[in-house]
Amino acid sequence: MDMAGQPLRFLPDASGQGGPYPEGQASIASIGIPLAPATATSAAPRVRRRNRMITSCLECRRRKLKCDKSHPCANCTKNTRDCVFLAPALDSASQLKFTEIKDKMGSLERVLEQDVARNTGSQPAWKADPEGEQIDFAPEPEDEKDLEPTPLAVTDAVYYDEADNDLADLGFAMGRMRLSDRIGGFFRPKMTEEMNASLNEPNGDQHSSSSQRSLSPEQPIPHFAPRAFLAPGPTYIAPSSSFFFSSGQNTASLIDFLPSKPIADRLLYQYWLAVHPVCRTVHRPSFLRRYNAFWADVEAGVEPPGSLQAVVFAALFSGVVSMSENAVLMQFGTTRKDLVENFQMGTETALGRANVIRTSKVETLQALVMYMVCRLCKLTSASAHLIRPIHFPQRDSLTSRCIPLCRGEISRSHSALVGTALRIAECMGLHRDGSEYGFGPVETHVRRLIWYQICFLDIRTCEAQGPRPHIRADEFDTQFPLNLDDEELERPNPPTVSASRWTDMTLSLIRMEGNEMCRVVWVDRSRLEKKKISLTAVLGKIENFRKTMKDRYFAFLDENIPVQHLARQITEILYRRMHIMVLHRYHNSVTYQIPDRLRQIIIDSGTDIMERAIQIDTSPALSPWAWYSSAIQQYHSALLLLVEIFAFPNRREADRIWRCLDYVFEIPPHIPKDQKGRWVMTEVRDKMGIYIASRKVIAPSSMLERIGSHSPARTTASTAASTSSSVGKVVGQGSGDFANGYMQAPSQYLQGPPAM
């Protein structure tokens, strides 16, 4: 914080390095991390060095006398000094190499000078390489030097033409989690074989009960109905492209979708309660004025403008989406499916009328973003009270265009819509901060809100459908919204810096900053593969982010207030989730075991994520916002913990982990504890096999070659009980690269003494 209590960011300064700037004066290249622009080094002048051969003796050069170049020279003979000459000239190849070394020394000198000029001793020295990426010069820890990510997880996915395109690309349901061939943003076409290898390997804990390797024949184990688990969930909303390809001359009438004003007011109240705090897209006072103008036009018999129709229907649609089936039935006397379908079609019709595909109106784009944000989130519950039943006329011709609805599942069609929205936003200049173009405080605020919601959609759809984020941090300069209440922006002299207190904007701002840090981590994952940064350096960035967020926001969070408690939970989930993003590919490294300190980070972070997510889902105080929980996390860390606890059932965290896994996978209560792991992993393996076979995925040739040419990482004894322990080469034979977490568990992580 600066003296005004304003958040600081590290942005490229004139020297090409990061420096702290107040939030109202700089864009977000990163969160608390110096991010050099691509042109930082390329713009620096090249140091010209003298390459002429030196022929004078060293004494004459030092005393600045003319040397006659004899051996010894006249000056040294006269003054009885040692006459020493440099070695003979190098050959052309050696001279070229020598020049190259001197150039590199000059580059390092410039980096050092820039670092001293910045006077930020806590920040590392950075340099931009020719590709515009940063290179970390910090030494790599010994236990990471030979650590490799698994070759079974790649960025890009390929499918045969014979794939079943009638099958939804949502993956398959496994309890409360949905899995597909892409997990954590990486394509894993051999997931079935990975799970099978883990099932076939003996437990890392040699003292565990042998009953874990075989299910008891006395207990009936429920199984899934064929292909039923591949169907979309009961709340899935399939996006329609009709509003993109419509001519704008839709014959449907507004009155076909519009409820009475009391019902619309109740839905708008729900929007302010459950949607606005967590995914803010509008400025409340100015939106309420537009909402009243909308109803004034309706009551006067005048059709409101298309953009106004779209944003009002999008808000009502968002309100319905955040409600549970029981709440909708109690308040409106109709099913949630009918109500959501009505407002979905109303929003899409209004967007078509507003010509969203070629619009230049911020209000139309605002409606599109509101419509998409609420599609990508999970429905749970909401509080309610009864108003009156609502009935909609039959619209068979319109209903046939839409498919039943959903929340936490993202298909490729969602990803395509996000890409379209991003291109529309860039064509409208939302990636440039509104303050640079003379917009007022409210207009600038709204543009920032819309842009960062699109940034969230970019990351979220990338994780679910890949392959990588489209938005690059160095390609936009839109600032974060100010941490202010909405009413403050309409004052005669509105504040120009963020407030150091809880405001209407704080929760959304925390999520936006966390999302942009995820973008930094996403880039660092590819840099890790190129050995341009170490795992420890990336984890250090994440820790710096946590400290920055703690210093910036935690001081004024009152966890006795539900919405502020939610903000704390979301901050911790975002921070812990970044650990999983970075480390999950190294959990089953091919030839070297992951260091104990990194393995423990996976365990601690994964367990903490699930415990906090379960609290958001189940706490009555947080129920208004529980519908949004899957926008923050999708329980995929449960899969890592499942493999870990299956291999090492006596871990000290076992009880905490199993409480989470029971909730996530909805494990039948009659299955014995020592058989749960095998049952869940078998279910995941079999369902994944059916899904991958239906999708006709293609594994890269390089992956297939690695499978047949490597032995798995494996140990035969416990590793040292130290967080700084190094990792040696592992030995043993096994089932190829499919080994996943079955190495011997470190003894300090197991409960109690070994069983005799």
Side-chain angles (χ1 to χ4, degrees):
M1 295 285 183
D2 62 1
M3 296 183 63
Q6 184 181 2
L8 296 180
R9 303 181 188 158
F10 288 85
L11 274 296
D13 58 16
S15 66
Q17 300 296 322
Y21 294 90
E23 180 174 340
Q25 300 178 13
S27 66
I28 59 98
S30 60
I31 312 296
I33 299 169
L35 184 60
T39 58
T41 300
S42 59
R46 175 171 175 163
V47 177
R48 295 182 59 85
R49 295 195 171 271
R50 175 179 176 179
N51 294 321
R52 182 165 55 87
M53 186 172 61
I54 298 172
T55 58
S56 299
C57 73
L58 296 183
E59 279 297 320
C60 290
R61 282 176 55 79
R62 184 174 67 83
R63 301 171 67 86
K64 294 182 170 51
L65 300 175
K66 183 174 178 59
C67 182
D68 61 6
K69 302 177 179 56
S70 59
H71 297 274
C73 70
N75 293 326
C76 291
T77 302
K78 178 180 179 181
N79 295 287
T80 63
R81 296 186 178 93
D82 293 333
C83 187
V84 179
F85 288 84
L86 292 177
L90 301 172
D91 57 32
S92 58
S94 300
Q95 184 67 35
L96 183 62
K97 184 67 175 177
F98 183 57
T99 302
E100 181 182 350
I101 292 174
K102 290 194 292 183
D103 288 341
K104 288 182 178 180
M105 289 180 61
S107 298
L108 292 174
E109 289 170 358
R110 287 197 302 273
V111 171
L112 181 61
E113 291 169 358
Q114 292 168 353
D115 188 56
V116 173
R118 285 189 293 119
N119 195 25
T120 54
S122 61
Q123 298 294 338
W126 297 84
K127 181 183 91 169
D129 68 9
E131 299 176 357
E133 297 178 351
Q134 299 168 346
I135 300 178
D136 178 26
F137 290 106
E140 187 177 24
E142 288 295 325
D143 59 0
E144 294 180 19
K145 287 185 177 179
D146 297 310
L147 193 63
E148 297 179 4
T150 174
L152 302 177
V154 294
T155 303
D156 300 300
V158 180
Y159 303 88
Y160 288 106
D161 288 342
E162 295 79 12
D164 185 359
N165 289 327
D166 294 330
L167 177 70
D169 57 348
L170 304 171
F172 60 90
M174 187 66 199
R176 300 174 187 273
M177 181 171 58
R178 199 153 193 107
L179 288 170
S180 70
D181 50 26
R182 188 174 289 275
I183 300 175
F186 287 103
F187 178 56
R188 303 189 79 127
K190 295 296 181 181
M191 188 68 183
T192 302
E193 290 86 343
E194 292 185 68
M195 300 299 292
N196 203 45
S198 295
L199 284 167
N200 292 335
E201 286 296 331
N203 292 63
D205 176 20
Q206 301 298 327
H207 309 288
S208 63
S209 171
S210 61
S211 62
Q212 178 149 350
R213 299 189 184 94
S214 61
L215 295 173
S216 171
E218 300 175 0
Q219 296 289 346
I221 302 300
H223 207 60
F224 47 85
R227 297 181 67 88
F229 59 90
L230 298 175
T235 57
Y236 177 65
I237 300 178
S240 169
S241 59
S242 58
F243 58 92
F244 279 123
F245 298 107
S246 65
S247 61
Q249 305 296 324
N250 198 307
T251 59
S253 173
L254 173 67
I255 202 63
D256 290 340
F257 311 104
L258 187 66
S260 63
K261 190 173 186 299
I263 292 175
D265 290 343
R266 178 62 187 88
L267 290 175
L268 188 61
Y269 170 80
Q270 176 68 20
Y271 175 83
W272 299 131
L273 171 69
V275 181
H276 191 59
V278 291
C279 49
R280 184 176 303 254
T281 316
V282 302
H283 176 251
R284 184 169 181 171
S286 59
F287 177 82
L288 286 174
R289 290 192 293 270
R290 295 290 287 164
Y291 179 76
N292 292 331
F294 171 87
W295 282 105
D297 287 346
V298 171
E299 292 170 359
V302 178
E303 183 174 3
S307 62
L308 181 55
Q309 293 183 42
V311 75
V312 169
F313 270 100
L316 301 181
F317 172 69
S318 301
V320 176
V321 162
S322 66
M323 300 178 70
S324 68
E325 180 70 39
N326 291 337
V328 171
L329 190 61
M330 288 177 59
Q331 295 186 55
F332 306 116
T334 188
T335 64
R336 181 182 174 280
K337 175 180 179 296
D338 289 341
L339 199 60
V340 173
E341 185 176 281
N342 174 82
F343 287 106
Q344 178 190 4
M345 291 187 293
T347 306
E348 292 175 355
T349 301
L351 286 170
R353 286 171 175 256
N355 298 314
V356 63
I357 200 69
R358 58 180 185 274
T359 186
S360 59
K361 291 181 177 292
V362 171
E363 192 171 53
T364 303
L365 180 61
Q366 186 179 39
L368 176 62
V369 172
M370 293 168 68
Y371 169 78
M372 290 191 300
V373 164
C374 290
R375 286 183 165 281
L376 306 186
C377 310
K378 174 185 175 183
L379 171 73
T380 51
S381 60
S383 58
H385 67 274
L386 182 63
I387 296 183
R388 66 178 179 84
I390 179 173
H391 301 282
F392 296 104
Q394 296 294 324
R395 295 176 299 276
D396 294 338
S397 61
L398 291 172
T399 303
S400 61
R401 296 183 311 171
C402 301
I403 303 174
L405 317 164
C406 161
R407 207 56 33 323
E409 299 134 319
I410 297 180
S411 71
R412 194 172 300 170
S413 53
H414 291 106
S415 183
L417 290 183
V418 171
T420 303
L422 171 59
R423 182 53 59 90
I424 294 172
E426 289 179 328
C427 289
M428 294 171 60
L430 265 72
H431 61 304
R432 300 303 177 196
D433 195 70
S435 61
E436 297 294 325
Y437 293 90
F439 289 105
V442 173
E443 291 83 356
T444 299
H445 179 73
V446 170
R447 291 170 68 92
R448 292 171 178 174
L449 290 175
I450 296 172
W451 175 255
Y452 280 104
Q453 290 296 351
I454 294 175
C455 289
F456 156 71
L457 293 171
D458 180 45
I459 292 289
R460 180 69 186 90
T461 54
C462 176
E463 290 175 336
Q465 292 293 333
R468 57 188 61 83
H470 292 294
I471 299 175
R472 293 173 56 93
D474 59 348
E475 293 178 351
F476 69 93
D477 58 18
T478 303
Q479 302 170 22
F480 285 127
L482 296 177
N483 186 34
L484 298 172
D485 292 322
D486 285 346
E487 291 77 9
E488 294 182 86
L489 296 171
E490 294 189 329
R491 292 178 181 175
N493 295 306
T496 58
V497 296
S498 292
S500 298
R501 57 179 171 80
W502 178 268
T503 70
D504 298 339
M505 189 65 214
T506 303
L507 177 54
S508 291
L509 194 57
I510 287 173
R511 189 178 61 81
M512 291 174 182
E513 294 192 33
N515 187 73
E516 290 312 299
M517 184 61 199
C518 286
R519 193 180 309 280
V520 174
V521 172
W522 196 287
V523 173
D524 282 340
R525 293 201 303 190
S526 64
R527 296 176 59 214
L528 279 168
E529 294 186 17
K530 300 174 183 177
K531 298 294 184 181
K532 293 184 176 180
I533 195 170
S534 67
L535 276 171
T536 298
V538 177
L539 295 176
K541 282 187 179 184
I542 297 172
E543 182 61 23
N544 288 337
F545 166 78
R546 185 193 69 81
K547 291 179 180 178
T548 300
M549 298 296 283
K550 179 180 178 181
D551 295 342
R552 186 176 299 172
Y553 297 113
F554 283 11
F556 53 76
L557 289 184
D558 183 355
E559 296 201 46
N560 295 318
I561 300 175
V563 70
Q564 297 188 31
H565 177 61
L566 175 68
R568 175 64 181 268
Q569 299 293 79
I570 289 177
T571 305
E572 294 292 343
I573 289 174
L574 289 172
Y575 155 66
R576 296 285 191 175
R577 185 167 161 265
M578 295 173 199
H579 290 153
I580 305 299
M581 288 177 62
V582 173
L583 295 175
H584 81 273
R585 287 190 73 199
Y586 296 87
H587 184 249
N588 57 331
S589 183
V590 175
T591 54
Y592 284 84
Q593 181 184 351
I594 186 172
D596 295 342
R597 62 185 178 86
L598 300 182
R599 179 187 293 272
Q600 194 60 34
I601 289 175
I602 293 175
I603 300 300
D604 292 342
S605 294
T607 306
D608 190 71
I609 287 171
M610 290 197 295
E611 288 176 339
R612 294 180 184 276
I614 291 171
Q615 184 181 9
I616 294 175
D617 278 352
T618 59
S619 172
L622 303 181
S623 61
W625 310 286
W627 69 280
Y628 197 68
S629 64
S630 68
I632 308 300
Q633 62 80 40
Q634 296 78 45
Y635 287 120
H636 283 177
S637 57
L639 199 59
L640 275 177
L641 297 185
L642 170 65
V643 173
E644 189 72 22
I645 203 64
F646 177 76
F648 313 128
N650 286 342
R651 270 195 170 277
R652 65 187 182 193
E653 305 91 352
D655 290 339
R656 290 176 60 200
I657 292 174
W658 275 119
R659 281 194 295 269
C660 297
L661 297 183
D662 286 341
Y663 177 84
V664 173
F665 292 111
E666 298 179 337
I667 302 174
H670 69 267
I671 298 181
K673 183 177 180 180
D674 60 350
Q675 298 180 15
K676 287 180 180 180
R678 182 165 293 275
W679 180 81
V680 176
M681 292 184 68
T682 302
E683 289 280 286
V684 172
R685 179 199 63 188
D686 295 346
K687 290 182 177 182
M688 181 67 78
I690 295 174
Y691 176 75
I692 288 180
S694 301
R695 294 286 291 165
K696 304 291 184 183
V697 301
I698 305 176
S701 301
S702 57
M703 180 184 296
L704 299 177
E705 293 171 0
R706 294 293 296 273
I707 289 171
S709 61
H710 282 274
S711 298
R714 193 172 191 178
T715 60
T716 57
S718 298
T719 54
S722 170
T723 58
S724 61
S725 62
S726 62
V727 176
K729 287 193 174 182
V730 293
V731 296
Q733 299 298 323
S735 54
D737 284 347
F738 299 130
N740 193 344
Y742 64 85
M743 288 80 73
Q744 176 67 36
S747 58
Q748 72 271 26
Y749 299 146
L750 302 179
Q751 289 182 342
M756 300 303 293

